[in-house]
């Protein structure tokens, strides 16, 4: 049984010198993070596709069982909205797939769609999923309210994704919105994060969850208890889930991700433990 956990990034200023050694050159940052977590979201690929050389550097640092969830570029999902012309040679999608090739099976691809992408657009999504390169796992995140409130729209999307062997990625913000924000980071998150019902059904062997809690660690832990139960059930069913833990400021996200992993291991002791994180400083005699 393998449970993957991770954060929204592998480097963040508040982690430097506290959770991760500092300074670290780029060729060592992912490797250091990978001693804390065994998965990471790739949000930056939404804004700019990295060079192939950069991706080769990532691949060289990633342990054998490490997972990347890489977001497809904004021009593909939000500007062209998966239109057929995104498959044009040398376009943004071609450039993206060429760049990420060194990651191979480490990578699952995350199709985050805008809130305006609704039930009427499902034929476009189906056509897109029928043409994307094979050999990757695909995960789709939708934000249109109909996919959470209209049973027929839910059923249609689930059928489409199941036929394409693609996962539906829930972004659970329910805990974030349970009570008014109490920090600047929480107030900012309230202006940016979607406010939708929690969805908990997996469609494939590889469910993916994005969960955001609060800047109060205990509220975050309390809020993820339903996910710990669901994740434990998925593992018992033979699934291989990946759960990403966010907070508004992400200052302790690696610590919380490991805590979630341990929470699930208490329910399913057969799950393999994570290794020990890299020491922040050199060992001392005293």
């Amino acid at each position: 049984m393998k449970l993957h956990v991770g954060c929204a990034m592998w480097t963040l200023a508040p982690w430097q010198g506290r959770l991760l050694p500092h300074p670290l050159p780029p060729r060592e940052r992912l490797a250091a993070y990978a001693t804390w977590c065994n998965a990471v979201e790739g949000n930056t690929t939404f804004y700019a596709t990295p060079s192939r050389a950069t991706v080769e550097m990532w691949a060289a640092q990633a342990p054998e069982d490490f997972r990347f969830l890489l977001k497809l570029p904004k021009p593909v999902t939000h500007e062209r909205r998966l239109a057929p012309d995104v498959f044009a040679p040398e376009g943004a999608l071609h450039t993206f797939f060429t760049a990420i090739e060194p990651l191979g099976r480490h990578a699952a691809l995350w199709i985050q769609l805008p809130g305006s992408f609704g039930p009427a657009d499902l034929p476009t999504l189906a056509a897109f999923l029928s043409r994307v390169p094979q050999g990757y796992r695909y995960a789709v995140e939708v934000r249109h309210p109909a996919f959470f409130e209209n049973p027929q729209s839910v059923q249609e999307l689930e059928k489409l994704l199941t036929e394409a062997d693609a996962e539906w990625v829930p972004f659970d913000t329910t805990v974030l919105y349970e009570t008014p924000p109490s920090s600047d980071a929480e107030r900012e998150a309230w202006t940016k994060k979607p406010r939708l019902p929690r969805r908990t059904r997996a469609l494939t062997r590889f469910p993916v969850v994005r969960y955001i809690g609060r800047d109060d660690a205990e509220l975050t832990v309390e809020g993820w208890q339903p996910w710990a139960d669901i994740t434990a059930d998925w593992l018992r069913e033979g699934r291989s889930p990946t759960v990403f833990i966010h907070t508004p400021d992400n200052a302790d996200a690696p610590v919380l991700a490991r805590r979630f992993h341990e929470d699930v291991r208490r329910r399913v002791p057969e799950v393999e433990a994570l290794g020990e994180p890299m020491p922040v400083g050199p060992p001392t005699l005293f």
Side-chain angles (χ1 to χ4, degrees):
M1 293 184 178
K2 193 74 176 182
L3 168 61
H4 288 77
V5 295
C7 307
M9 69 289 289
W10 64 72
T11 183
L12 190 69
W15 303 350
Q16 309 309 315
R18 185 171 67 91
L19 304 180
L20 301 175
H22 182 72
L24 279 176
R27 65 181 180 276
E28 297 178 15
R29 291 172 187 168
L30 175 58
Y33 165 87
T35 67
W36 280 86
C37 299
N38 54 6
V40 72
E41 290 182 5
N43 287 283
T44 59
T45 54
F46 180 72
Y47 301 101
T49 296
S51 69
R52 188 180 175 99
T54 295
V55 179
E56 288 172 347
M57 179 178 65
W58 298 350
Q61 296 179 66
E64 180 66 22
D65 66 346
F66 193 85
R67 288 183 181 173
F68 294 84
L69 183 67
L70 299 181
K71 192 185 292 188
L72 263 60
K74 183 178 181 180
V76 173
T77 57
H78 286 57
E79 295 173 9
R80 297 303 305 142
R81 297 168 62 91
L82 311 185
D85 61 8
V86 300
F87 290 96
E90 308 309 319
L93 192 62
H94 179 272
T95 301
F96 174 80
F97 277 106
T98 300
I100 68 164
E101 188 177 6
L103 291 180
R105 65 182 185 82
H106 285 293
L109 304 184
W110 170 19
I111 305 166
Q112 186 187 81
L113 296 169
S116 59
F117 195 101
D121 298 298
L122 288 182
T124 300
L125 175 60
F128 179 83
L129 289 172
S130 72
R131 293 185 63 184
V132 290
Q134 301 302 302
Y136 295 99
R137 294 193 309 277
Y138 291 90
V140 177
E141 180 183 339
V142 291
R143 295 186 171 186
H144 193 288
F147 293 126
F148 299 85
E149 299 167 357
N150 183 300
Q152 181 178 345
S153 298
V154 173
Q155 184 178 13
E156 290 173 353
L157 179 55
E158 286 186 346
K159 181 175 184 294
L160 185 162
L161 294 176
T162 300
E163 290 175 350
D165 195 27
E167 190 53 80
W168 182 334
V169 181
F171 184 24
D172 184 4
T173 62
T174 55
V175 172
L176 174 68
Y177 288 112
E178 272 184 347
T179 56
S182 59
S183 69
D184 289 343
E186 290 183 358
R187 280 184 280 275
E188 182 179 2
W190 268 47
T191 69
K192 295 180 177 180
K193 305 302 181 186
R195 191 167 188 166
L196 295 165
R198 176 184 290 149
R199 175 190 160 77
T200 61
R201 184 178 177 188
L203 302 180
T204 72
R205 287 188 53 239
F206 301 96
V208 178
V209 175
R210 304 178 65 232
Y211 165 82
I212 182 168
R214 305 295 293 258
D215 287 334
D216 182 314
E218 296 313 311
L219 289 177
T220 299
V221 172
E222 179 182 350
W224 77 38
Q225 293 308 308
W227 283 116
D229 290 334
I230 292 162
T231 302
D233 287 341
W234 285 340
L235 288 160
R236 295 186 190 105
E237 292 166 1
R239 301 183 197 264
S240 182
T242 303
V243 179
F244 295 102
I245 303 298
H246 301 229
T247 65
D249 65 12
N250 282 313
D252 293 313
V255 177
L256 289 165
R258 291 177 67 88
R259 188 167 170 183
F260 179 84
H261 194 280
E262 284 302 308
D263 227 354
V264 175
R265 284 191 71 230
R266 280 192 285 273
R267 292 161 167 82
V268 189
E270 301 93 326
V271 171
E272 183 180 348
L274 295 172
E276 287 300 312
M278 176 184 292
V280 174
T284 61
L285 295 176
F286 304 100

